Amino acid sequence: MTENIGVLGKNSPRCTDVERVVSVPLPTAYGQFRAVGYFDHERGDEQVALVYGDPGADRVLTRLHSECLTGDAFGSRHCECGDQLATALRAVAAEGSGVVVYLRGHEGRGIGLLAKLRAMALQAEGLDTVEANLALGLPVDARDYGVAARILDDLGVRSVRLMSNNPRKREALVRHGIQVAEQVPLLIPPCESNITYLRTKRERLDHHLPHLDAVANASS
């Protein structure tokens, strides 16, 4: 994959509603990535893909990471998002190539930052993450992964090894034309602050979190 730095014209990307705007080297604590910026004309969101090395087209190690300000930036232990992002970036760098698509507009599984904080307040009162969203009259999961599929297509990626515990991400990519050759677990050791949240994700949202069994056995 050739390096392309600067602002690109409207006709450059293959996507129609997702426009590639800029590509620039981005040195990080995890290695030298390339940040490829996109504008989603359908939703009005700015998106970014962090590309490491030359991923090629097939079996590309990939993470679709939903924006989580509290976890990614503030280090919240209420969720495992920040640790998952760091682990994914390290894994891509260790692999020598890969893509992390950082999906803005996905805060709180798509309900937004303030609504997420309101849901967290309800969780502090005893509701689980699903019940809290429903109590606010909001969807349990409002995320759409179509933009991620279009970004991967623009990058020339046809099939991925998807770093995720969420089967809905796999289903969404396949539905949008990206093959998932393998689903790679991204398991973060739980802590006291997020164990209930993680159990809810497993029991009510079908996330594959087998490492929680060891926690249950240790406490029994």
Side-chain angles (χ1 to χ4, degrees), residues 8-112:
L8 307 182
K10 284 182 176 291
N11 295 325
S12 297
R14 289 180 289 164
C15 307
T16 54
D17 53 345
V18 177
E19 176 188 357
R20 189 198 292 202
V21 177
V22 64
S23 176
V24 62
L26 185 70
T28 76
Y30 311 99
Q32 181 79 17
F33 283 79
R34 181 160 53 96
V36 186
Y38 292 85
F39 186 73
D40 181 351
H41 288 277
E42 181 179 350
R43 294 177 177 268
D45 292 326
E46 296 174 332
Q47 306 288 3
V48 64
L50 296 183
V51 181
Y52 193 90
D54 184 359
D58 298 309
R59 296 184 59 83
V60 177
L61 188 62
T62 300
R63 166 73 177 165
L64 309 184
H65 189 84
S66 295
E67 176 183 27
C68 177
L69 179 67
T70 52
D72 298 340
F74 302 151
S76 168
R77 311 314 293 172
H78 183 270
C79 64
E80 80 278 42
C81 299
D83 287 334
Q84 284 190 319
L85 177 60
T87 300
L89 290 168
R90 289 191 190 99
V92 164
E95 178 86 1
S97 65
V99 179
V100 175
V101 182
Y102 193 86
L103 292 164
R104 302 188 67 202
H106 277 204
E107 189 78 54
R109 298 197 303 276
I111 64 174

Side-chain angles (χ1 to χ4, degrees), residues 72-168:
D72 298 340
F74 302 151
S76 168
R77 311 314 293 172
H78 183 270
C79 64
E80 80 278 42
C81 299
D83 287 334
Q84 284 190 319
L85 177 60
T87 300
L89 290 168
R90 289 191 190 99
V92 164
E95 178 86 1
S97 65
V99 179
V100 175
V101 182
Y102 193 86
L103 292 164
R104 302 188 67 202
H106 277 204
E107 189 78 54
R109 298 197 303 276
I111 64 174
L113 176 60
L114 295 182
K116 180 178 83 168
L117 294 176
R118 292 172 64 202
M120 288 170 61
L122 292 177
Q123 291 170 60
E125 296 175 2
L127 298 187
D128 67 31
T129 181
V130 171
E131 294 166 342
N133 280 31
L134 295 176
L136 293 170
L138 297 170
V140 173
D141 193 337
R143 290 174 294 181
D144 179 81
Y145 297 100
V147 65
R150 293 190 289 277
I151 287 171
L152 290 173
D153 179 68
D154 179 72
L155 293 171
V157 175
R158 292 192 300 258
S159 72
V160 299
R161 286 178 292 133
L162 182 64
M163 289 185 283
S164 177
N165 310 315
N166 184 356
R168 290 186 177 90

